[in-house]
Amino acid sequence: FKRAVQRNLLRRRIREAYRLNKALLRSDEQNTTSSPAYIAFLYVAKQEARFDEIEKGMKLALQKISAGA
């Protein structure tokens, strides 16, 4: 995205979607003693997505990560 305003908006949406759904990851990790995991989310779409679309994708990604861990 050319303008910083658009990039910042997408960053805020991704952070908020993660913040609201990070419990999906932590529920499995609380009972075990494992090393911390570092996760990076890359936005590769050509168009700006709405928050509900980003949140749906975030939930799916976090569920897949927690199932595989």
Side-chain angles (χ1 to χ4, degrees):
F1 293 95
K2 249 183 162 177
R3 299 196 174 261
V5 173
Q6 292 172 323
R7 292 190 303 268
N8 291 337
L9 177 66
L10 289 171
R11 275 190 216 120
R12 284 194 306 270
R13 287 178 180 172
I14 292 168
R15 282 188 198 128
E16 183 67 9
Y18 176 76
R19 185 187 70 81
L20 292 173
N21 297 298
K22 65 184 172 185
L24 295 173
L25 263 184
R26 292 188 178 174
S27 62
D28 294 336
E29 293 178 4
Q30 287 177 353
N31 297 333
T32 62
T33 56
S34 61
S35 61
Y38 298 99
I39 303 171
F41 295 101
L42 300 176
Y43 190 85
V44 294
K46 297 287 184 189
Q47 296 179 1
E48 194 174 304
R50 296 187 326 256
F51 177 74
D52 58 338
E53 295 170 345
I54 292 174
E55 187 177 26
K56 188 169 97 174
M58 182 66 70
K59 283 180 183 178
L60 181 64
L62 293 177
Q63 287 171 352
K64 284 184 179 184
I65 290 171
S66 67

